[in-house]
Amino acid sequence: MNQNLTTDRQTFVTHLECSITGERYEADQLHRLSRAGRPLLVRYDLDAVRSAVSRDTIAARPTDLWRWRELLPVRHTSNIVSLGEIETPLVPLTKSGGPNVLVKDEGRLPTGSFKARGLVMAVAMAKELGVTKIAMPTNGNAGAALAAYATRCGIETIVFCPDDTPEINVREIAMQGARVWRVNGLIDDCGAIVGKGAAEGRWFDFSTLKEPYRIEGKKTMGLELAAQFGWKLPDAIFYPTGGGTGLIGMWKAFDELEKLGWIGSERPKMFAVQASGCAPIVRAFEAGEEHAERWEDASTVAAGIRVPKAVGDFLILRAVRESGGHALAVGDPAILKAVDAAAKQDGLLLCPEGGATLAAYHQALNTGLVDEDDKVVLFNCATGLKYPMPEAPQALDRTRPIDFDAL
């Protein structure tokens, strides 16, 4: 076990708060959505955090997710479940991106995606609060992360996924101990099944933002960026946005860091990136709406951002607008072209959702939303090894004369 995790600690959580009404909820109790039907946000005694730990102390610790423990909700370290959540690297994408483009490669995390951040925190808190059975809808990677962490601490798990979920994700979920069911519908259809079962008391609903703690795990992306940039922030962040938990979490992290006095008031422009075949946030942004209507007949090669309706839509839109950012949609051909370019020009294998951020960056550059001089971070949310790749059919017969020039 990491030396950071060897003793129990006092949590700095003070309460939970409805994200739309501000209504206060008690900490250390099991909560779902607020009475208004909106996500709950975890609040901390940041004055006490400032007195207990300094920025330099954080910087001196081993660079894993749990270095940020004072800004995380788990009260007892005995309830932490971990598979080795590292600080993910910033990889330059100089040829296919540009001289100031970095990719935060979340594919290096356990289970190969950034879903590990949110689910490790949510599962640890479920363990702490006595949950014994969890169900979740997934497009693939979240279900895999849930299965791994829940199995590790003995929580029974049932996962529902659209029937066209990548086969490797379905098998990964099953291999890591969950019961996985393919459903003839989209992720929100799967979510409806989870919600019905939860209403009948069969399990706890772990759908995106329907419990408070996945945001707290995802916000570590923002905490890490601040540390990696020397307690400043990049000029722009391009984030693949389905449920949007990570974008919401990073925006929360920046606010907490400023209140601690660890960063200034400057913020990156937040770009919510969606596929043109499923772009409810983009449509709402362009229409000036606070909430996004469900996107009908959603379809895209980037399954991870194929979310027709996000419960945290207003939080995503709020962060994008407050930052001076934008919501952008890119087509599947542009996504696949970007994945190909990053692999063949820079040697970095992006997932389709990561490819969407590269395509969106070029779109933003061409339309003047960002400049070449801006320091930009793109999020690659999963390892490209999980996704289909073009065939490589060439073969060589060693028993025949070899044309080395042709090779």
Side-chain angles (χ1 to χ4, degrees), residues 120-133:
V120 69
M121 202 63 54
V123 168
M125 289 303 298
K127 179 185 176 186
E128 187 152 277
L129 297 171
V131 174
T132 59
K133 187 183 292 188

Side-chain angles (χ1 to χ4, degrees), residues 307-352:
V307 178
K309 175 69 175 170
V311 68
D313 53 3
F314 67 103
L315 293 170
I316 300 167
L317 289 161
R318 185 184 299 170
V320 170
R321 288 177 175 135
E322 287 179 0
S323 72
H326 215 85
L328 297 174
V330 290
D332 282 1
I335 291 172
L336 295 173
K337 182 180 177 182
V339 170
D340 189 67
K344 290 180 176 172
Q345 295 174 30
D346 285 294
L348 184 61
L349 194 60
L350 303 175
C351 64

Side-chain angles (χ1 to χ4, degrees), residues 257-341:
L257 288 171
E258 183 184 353
K259 288 176 178 173
L260 286 169
W262 294 0
I263 65 170
S265 60
E266 299 82 7
R267 294 288 183 274
K269 293 179 180 178
M270 305 296 285
F271 287 85
V273 178
Q274 299 200 296
S276 56
C278 183
I281 298 297
V282 176
R283 184 172 61 191
F285 177 83
E286 292 176 345
E289 301 289 343
E290 186 179 5
H291 296 281
E293 294 298 318
R294 186 181 192 273
W295 189 278
E296 300 299 330
D297 302 318
S299 176
T300 174
V301 68
I305 51 176
R306 191 182 61 182
V307 178
K309 175 69 175 170
V311 68
D313 53 3
F314 67 103
L315 293 170
I316 300 167
L317 289 161
R318 185 184 299 170
V320 170
R321 288 177 175 135
E322 287 179 0
S323 72
H326 215 85
L328 297 174
V330 290
D332 282 1
I335 291 172
L336 295 173
K337 182 180 177 182
V339 170
D340 189 67

Side-chain angles (χ1 to χ4, degrees), residues 108-193:
R108 316 292 180 96
L109 287 162
T111 72
S113 88
F114 66 175
K115 299 295 184 180
R117 291 184 187 272
L119 272 303
V120 69
M121 202 63 54
V123 168
M125 289 303 298
K127 179 185 176 186
E128 187 152 277
L129 297 171
V131 174
T132 59
K133 187 183 292 188
I134 292 169
M136 172 197 276
T138 187
N139 279 319
N141 284 319
L146 173 61
Y149 288 114
T151 294
R152 194 163 178 85
C153 65
I155 295 176
E156 187 179 351
T157 304
I158 306 96
V159 174
F160 301 89
C161 60
D163 55 10
D164 62 351
T165 298
E167 186 67 22
I168 191 168
N169 291 136
V170 180
R171 296 189 184 194
E172 181 185 12
I173 293 165
M175 187 72 177
Q176 292 182 122
R179 297 201 299 278
V180 57
W181 296 89
R182 304 170 199 253
V183 177
N184 56 339
L186 297 174
I187 190 169
D188 55 350
D189 299 307
C190 297
I193 297 169

Side-chain angles (χ1 to χ4, degrees), residues 188-261:
D188 55 350
D189 299 307
C190 297
I193 297 169
V194 172
K196 189 172 189 303
E200 295 176 2
R202 297 177 181 274
W203 49 57
F204 188 79
D205 186 344
F206 245 47
S207 301
T208 302
L209 295 179
K210 290 191 177 177
E211 57 77 47
Y213 300 108
R214 210 190 300 191
I215 290 176
E216 296 306 294
K218 283 288 192 76
K219 84 178 182 188
T220 59
M221 294 187 295
L223 300 175
E224 284 182 16
L225 278 180
Q228 287 174 307
F229 274 83
W231 305 105
K232 299 190 183 214
L233 295 173
D235 296 309
I237 291 173
F238 287 75
Y239 188 82
T241 305
T245 314
L247 191 150
I248 296 165
M250 283 191 284
W251 198 243
K252 183 175 186 288
F254 300 152
D255 180 63
E256 290 172 355
L257 288 171
E258 183 184 353
K259 288 176 178 173
L260 286 169

